Amino acid sequence: MNLPYLIDKFDKDRIDCASYRLCVGEHVFTTSDQFDNCPPNSPLVSTLSKPPNNILRIRPGQFAFLMTEETVKVPKDAIALISMRAGYKFKGLINVSGFHVDPGWDGKLLFSVYNAGPSEVILERGDAAFLIVYADLDRKSNKVYDGKSQNQTTIKSSLLQNMTQQVFSPLMLQRRVEDFEKKVNDVHSSLVVTKAIVWAVNATVVLFIAVAALFSTFAPNTLGVILGKIIENGGYELKQKASSSSETDSAPSVKIFSNNVKPIQSATPREN
């Protein structure tokens, strides 16, 4: 089989046992879990050129379209088998676009790949990432490829129509789970602080009640003085009402006056 005729830019050093190594070409595309944040006028298909603009990063859980540098032909009496090279498979990069090329094909090959690994895969233009193997048929095929992708040289926009939204990858799911756990922990921390504040307020109220009970039991006069000071600090005035003849046997009463309003309360101090 005449490989220099079937593969343009043929290089004999790329023959690998029974296969030939194909390279990453100029046109590539990759999905992203943050694609919605891209400007609307940003290009969908990336063009790899000379360094430093010759690198493509495929993040975990993302798809990519990779077009070969070479144009490939498949004779009518043969079929071609294609795959990723083992070194990229071991990184988690999987070919999901198919594994054969029909008789009669003429054009650049487009690989659809998925990064199933835990880290991003970095590719450069010219990397020998693909393999092609030719196999003879026992006769020429009566039906050869004559589809829309014949003589393709670029990635068609129709292939990208369903690939421009966010891809819900396992990595994205893990990130959302981590965000949810963080929110739960924040809520838990807020509840702990709230409980501590409520406990402190309750303890203060109980302590105040206990102190007031002790004063009322063992030092009622002192408690009265403290309450009087509190009332006076609030802008009120304590005055003792004079006893009438009919009230000689009863205890004197005390009225609380505001500095600006009429008496608002009447109280009778307890006897010592």
Side-chain angles (χ1 to χ4, degrees):
M1 192 171 290
N2 189 3
L3 288 181
Y5 167 76
L6 299 177
I7 302 173
D8 76 328
K9 303 178 182 179
F10 176 80
D11 184 354
K12 64 179 182 180
D13 292 333
R14 291 183 183 164
I15 296 177
D16 186 0
C17 298
S19 62
Y20 183 85
R21 299 176 181 176
L22 299 175
C23 298
V24 177
E26 178 182 10
H27 301 290
V28 294
F29 167 83
T30 182
T31 59
S32 173
D33 58 359
Q34 298 178 345
F35 196 87
D36 290 343
N37 296 331
C38 296
N41 58 346
S42 61
L44 297 178
V45 177
S46 300
T47 301
L48 303 182
S49 56
K50 296 180 180 181
N53 300 318
N54 63 329
I55 296 177
L56 174 70
R57 300 175 184 270
I58 307 175
R59 300 185 65 185
Q62 301 303 312
F63 291 90
F65 287 129
L66 309 174
M67 183 157 282
T68 60
E69 188 74 49
E70 302 84 0
T71 298
V72 173
K73 295 180 181 179
V74 180
K76 295 181 181 179
D77 59 350
I79 190 173
L81 306 177
I82 57 175
S83 69
M84 301 290 301
R85 292 184 62 194
Y88 295 95
K89 292 179 181 178
F90 295 155
K91 294 179 182 179
L93 200 60
I94 303 172
N95 174 30
V96 295
S97 56
F99 304 95
H100 79 279
V101 186
D102 292 326
W105 171 268
D106 186 356
K108 294 187 175 184
L109 297 177
L110 183 64
F111 284 79
S112 177
V113 298
Y114 175 76
N115 185 2
S119 58
E120 66 179 13
V121 176
I122 300 176
L123 294 172
E124 296 184 21
R125 182 177 181 180
D127 283 349
F130 318 110
L131 293 175
I132 184 169
V133 177
Y134 285 93
D136 291 329
L137 301 177
D138 58 353
R139 61 181 181 274
K140 289 185 178 181
S141 175
N142 294 327
K143 186 176 181 180
V144 296
Y145 182 83
D146 190 22
K148 296 180 179 179
S149 297
Q150 188 75 300
N151 300 314
Q152 71 176 356
T153 57
T154 60
I155 301 176
K156 295 180 175 62
S157 59
S158 58
L159 296 175
L160 308 179
Q161 185 173 359
N162 297 324
M163 305 290 288
T164 57
Q165 301 299 320
Q166 291 181 340
V167 176
F168 295 94
S169 63
L171 181 65
M172 186 176 183
L173 178 61
Q174 179 184 359
R175 187 181 299 119
R176 291 193 172 186
V177 170
E178 291 175 352
D179 291 342
F180 179 75
E181 289 179 348
K182 183 178 181 300
K183 292 180 180 179
V184 171
N185 292 334
D186 291 342
V187 172
H188 178 71
S189 301
S190 300
L191 290 177
V192 170
V193 173
T194 303
K195 288 181 179 179
I197 294 174
V198 172
W199 184 88
V201 171
N202 291 337
T204 302
V205 172
V206 171
L207 180 61
F208 179 79
I209 294 174
V211 171
L214 289 174
F215 271 102
S216 63
T217 303
F218 300 103
N221 292 334
T222 304
L223 179 61
V225 172
I226 294 175
L227 293 177
K229 290 293 184 181
I230 295 175
I231 293 173
E232 290 180 357
N233 291 334
Y236 298 95
E237 181 180 0
L238 293 175
K239 290 185 178 181
Q240 183 172 348
K241 182 180 178 182
S243 301
S244 61
S245 58
S246 60
E247 297 173 341
T248 54
D249 296 333
S250 61
S253 62
V254 176
K255 286 190 176 182
I256 302 174
F257 292 86
S258 173
N259 293 332
N260 300 320
V261 297
K262 62 182 181 179
I264 61 172
Q265 182 180 354
S266 177
T268 303
R270 58 182 295 180
E271 295 179 356
N272 293 333

